[in-house]
Amino acid sequence: MVRAFLTTTLAAVVAALLSCWLVLIGWSLMGDAVSHAVLPGVVIAYVLGVPFALGALVFGGLAVVLIGAVRDTGRVKEDAAIGIVFTTLFALGLVLVSVTPSQTDLSHIIFGNVLGVSTAELVQVAVLAVVGAAVLLVKRRDLVLFAFDPTHAHAIGLSTRRLSALLLGVLALTAVVTLQVVGVILVVAMLIIPGATASLLTRRFGRMLVLAPIISALCSITGIYLSYWLDAASGGMVVLVQGAVFAVVLLAGPRSALLRGRARTQVRARVSR
């Protein structure tokens, strides 16, 4: 349980940081694509006995290249290209999982197995999480400018292609970190929900970078506790708690339509008096 809490917290923090940019840029679908496309790379890395991150980075980059190649033909729209590439690569990963001889059940890559994380895997998660978070924080200003105004970023000498590639690289690393917790299928939830929740609480990006990791970490720890007491799937429970918090903030948060409607009603009542 201690390793589970540590692993979940590390994954939650780095995924939440990245989710702020994914939500801001509108890369939710790209996050879904890369997180699913890394599956065959992770399986091949397992077979070859090399770090998961290496296989994930290779196939994450391959997915981006293939999406660009299909889109650049001009005959398929970007959303369709993303859907075609990531579903095909994900299917390849499922096939590799089913045919790969292994003494362990590789389904934990798909569904997650945070309660089975070893000390060595915890160290790997910690290293990848620290690297991912450090890159995002060190390049924070450039990435924020790229997200808000890529034209201006290019005009002042920043390479938008490099910044885009940097975000995609961190996305692949984060997918490896979070798949230990929730598996490949639910990775996209941890990459989107925290940033979306924080965006409903504040309009300042700096505050989002603080709120999103805090919300994600608290939800993840709560999900692990609930999964223990309810004897439920840990990864699914973590995402379920995050989704519940998002729903509460959406319906009753400071920027919710419900509260705005109540405020208008109160104002009208005072005016009528």
Side-chain angles (χ1 to χ4, degrees):
M1 288 296 292
V2 172
R3 288 195 297 268
F5 282 128
L6 291 174
T7 303
T8 304
T9 302
L10 289 168
V13 169
V14 67
L17 286 174
L18 180 59
S19 73
C20 295
W21 275 281
L22 296 182
V23 170
L24 182 63
I25 299 175
W27 275 10
S28 299
L29 187 57
M30 182 63 77
D32 191 15
V34 174
S35 62
H36 283 72
V38 301
L39 178 59
V42 173
V43 178
I44 293 174
Y46 176 86
V47 173
L48 298 178
V50 299
F52 286 173
L54 181 59
L57 284 173
V58 171
F59 272 79
L62 177 62
V64 174
V65 171
L66 291 176
I67 290 171
V70 175
R71 178 194 57 200
D72 292 343
T73 62
R75 300 166 63 184
V76 179
K77 293 183 178 180
E78 184 176 18
D79 58 342
I82 292 174
I84 293 169
V85 171
F86 98 73
T87 51
T88 302
L89 290 178
F90 184 62
L92 173 61
L94 293 177
V95 172
L96 291 176
V97 169
S98 65
V99 301
T100 299
S102 174
Q103 296 179 352
T104 60
D105 186 6
L106 291 180
S107 63
H108 72 276
I109 297 175
I110 302 173
F111 302 106
N113 184 27
V114 67
L115 296 178
V117 172
S118 64
T119 302
E121 290 173 333
L122 174 58
V123 172
Q124 176 181 318
V125 167
V127 171
L128 295 179
V130 169
V131 170
V135 170
L136 291 175
L137 294 177
V138 169
K139 301 292 291 184
R140 180 180 71 257
R141 293 184 179 180
D142 292 347
L143 291 174
V144 170
L145 180 59
F146 166 69
F148 278 102
D149 193 349
T151 303
H152 179 61
H154 179 71
I156 64 174
L158 295 176
S159 173
T160 55
R161 286 189 176 184
R162 291 181 180 178
L163 292 174
S164 177
L166 181 65
L167 273 179
L168 291 172
V170 175
L171 176 58
L173 281 177
T174 307
V176 176
V177 173
T178 51
L179 71 82
Q180 297 280 4
V181 179
V182 297
V184 170
I185 294 178
L186 295 178
V187 163
V188 67
M190 295 189 71
L191 288 172
I192 301 301
I193 295 177
T197 304
S199 68
L200 296 176
L201 295 172
T202 180
R203 293 183 178 180
R204 299 187 63 178
F205 191 74
R207 292 179 181 175
M208 281 182 63
L209 292 177
V210 175
L211 289 174
I214 293 175
I215 293 171
S216 184
L218 291 177
C219 289
S220 298
I221 292 174
T222 303
I224 295 295
Y225 264 119
L226 290 176
S227 70
Y228 174 80
W229 290 109
L230 299 176
D231 194 22
S234 300
M237 188 60 68
V238 167
V239 173
L240 190 60
V241 173
Q242 289 187 347
V245 171
F246 171 80
V248 171
V249 173
L250 179 66
L251 296 175
R255 296 170 57 191
S256 68
L258 180 61
L259 289 185
R260 288 198 300 268
R262 288 182 179 178
R264 290 173 183 173
T265 302
Q266 291 176 356
V267 170
R268 290 174 182 174
R270 291 176 182 175
V271 171
S272 62
R273 291 176 184 176

